[in-house]
Amino acid sequence: MSQNNLLAGLVSCLILLAAGPVAAQGGNAVRLPSADSFVPSTTSGRLLLTGGVTMFEGASGGGLVPWATIGGYGTRDEIGATAFGTFIPLRDYRASSYGALAGFYNRVELSYARAEFNTQRVGGDLGLGRDFTFGQDIFGVKVRLFGDLVLDQDTLLPQVAVGAQYRQNNRNDVVRAVGAERDADWDFYVSATKLLLSQSLLVNGTLRATRANEFGFLGFGGARNDDYQIMPEVSVAYLVNRNLAIGAEYRRRPLNLGVSTSRDAYDFFAAYALSKNVSVTLAYVDLGEIVAAAAPRSQRGAYLSLNIGF
């Protein structure tokens, strides 16, 4: 069996995992109250910001880290969706992404993101041309396995989800020239998210199996390593009020290429819900050194993202 067929089968299994719990809700099964019980009857869907915002790569969560949340405000009986746009100006580069996700019955999430990385003047220094841009198409699937972010307040049980992202880089010749083994690959992850409403605190931990170089913008795998590595990712958010959350994130990434020197990325963010349908995230982000030989300093800057959903 080829690697592509095997990975496609794994993604199919993720989707099928959702079928059992959803089917069990039918017939004579006892139906627990949905998250609608916690919001005024004049509104529909879940609590503000409990679906997370949309991360740079399209999944619901923080800016850098996927959470176990299912995006949109759809409950167990509804379908929700979110469209987003993100802009990240750094010291020597500029990154951006846009896309959309759909959440089905607070169980399954499907997402798409188009992410771009503009090398600005560094592209000219490397002989690629000023403003040379790497692009990725990122297709994601996430399945909530168990736990409920709001309903499980009387237990320590977190909401847990598994996910996969398929990434296709549009610069095959260049990424292979810098040492990458391939221009397309899969990431797999498991996330556990716990919301402590009485403490106004959300905590998330994610483990990602990946071979991505610089978030996939420089391809996947390389001479240093071509095996999947498990990378930790962490998010903490404090709910200042029902509309505003502040927090921080950390994401570790592999070193597969000789041109890569930095593993760590982090951000400090504020997410504000302007309304039930519109939220804005503003953050300070540090992605570490990217192609240190051309730009030998940490790539820090702003992170601005707009989410529109229901």
Side-chain angles (χ1 to χ4, degrees):
M1 180 182 295
S2 70
Q3 184 188 49
N4 285 342
N5 289 337
L6 175 60
L7 294 175
L10 287 172
V11 174
S12 298
C13 289
L14 292 178
I15 297 175
L16 289 173
L17 281 169
V22 172
Q25 295 169 6
N28 297 319
V30 176
R31 296 177 65 87
L32 294 173
S34 72
D36 291 289
S37 305
F38 294 87
V39 296
S41 58
T42 55
T43 63
S44 64
R46 308 198 302 268
L47 286 167
L48 285 174
L49 297 177
T50 56
V53 293
T54 309
M55 64 177 300
F56 180 75
E57 295 149 314
S60 65
L64 293 177
V65 178
W67 299 351
T69 51
I70 299 299
Y73 281 114
T75 66
R76 62 189 292 170
D77 301 312
E78 300 170 333
I79 297 174
T82 299
F84 78 96
T86 298
F87 180 62
I88 310 175
L90 302 167
R91 285 176 163 182
D92 299 297
Y93 306 101
R94 184 176 68 248
S96 61
S97 69
Y98 60 87
L101 63 79
F104 298 87
Y105 314 113
N106 198 22
R107 179 64 63 178
V108 177
E109 175 185 293
L110 301 178
S111 62
Y112 167 76
R114 173 66 180 183
E116 297 185 341
F117 188 80
N118 187 305
T119 60
Q120 301 191 113
R121 67 160 186 82
V122 176
D125 296 341
L126 294 173
L128 299 173
R130 187 179 178 89
D131 291 323
F132 183 88
T133 301
F134 294 90
Q136 284 187 82
D137 292 302
I138 306 172
F139 301 89
V141 58
K142 186 196 300 182
V143 177
R144 179 171 66 88
L145 297 181
F146 57 84
D148 189 287
L149 204 64
V150 174
L151 296 181
D152 289 332
Q153 292 300 304
D154 57 344
T155 74
L156 294 177
L157 183 71
Q159 182 165 314
V160 176
V162 291
Q165 293 174 327
Y166 179 75
R167 303 159 176 272
Q168 175 67 62
N169 190 293
N170 71 339
R171 298 292 189 178
N172 177 58
D173 293 343
V174 178
V175 299
R176 289 183 180 274
V178 299
E181 291 293 330
R182 57 191 62 79
D183 64 348
D185 204 10
W186 290 86
D187 277 6
F188 301 97
Y189 64 88
V190 56
S191 295
T193 308
K194 183 62 181 176
L195 175 63
L196 305 168
L197 278 176
S198 59
Q199 287 79 33
S200 300
L201 187 67
L202 180 145
V203 180
N204 175 83
T206 296
L207 292 176
R208 180 190 298 265
T210 183
R211 294 183 290 199
N213 306 318
E214 307 298 358
F215 306 97
F217 287 116
L218 294 184
F220 307 88
R224 284 185 178 180
N225 181 76
D226 194 39
D227 296 323
Y228 277 101
Q229 298 180 63
I230 305 300
M231 297 285 111
E233 305 175 9
V234 179
S235 302
V236 177
Y238 178 72
L239 307 177
V240 178
N241 55 49
R242 69 188 303 269
N243 294 85
L244 175 64
I246 60 175
E249 298 183 293
Y250 169 81
R251 177 168 169 174
R252 184 85 163 169
R253 59 189 194 269
L255 293 180
N256 301 320
L257 300 177
V259 298
S260 299
T261 61
S262 180
R263 288 181 178 270
D264 303 325
Y266 61 87
D267 68 37
F268 300 96
F269 68 87
Y272 185 76
L274 298 170
S275 69
K276 188 78 173 181
N277 305 106
V278 181
S279 66
V280 177
T281 302
L282 180 64
Y284 168 82
V285 62
D286 188 330
L287 302 183
E289 293 182 349
I290 299 176
V291 189
R297 56 180 178 172
S298 189
Q299 294 303 312
R300 302 167 183 167
Y303 178 110
L304 177 63
S305 184
L306 175 67
N307 286 254
I308 301 174
F310 63 90

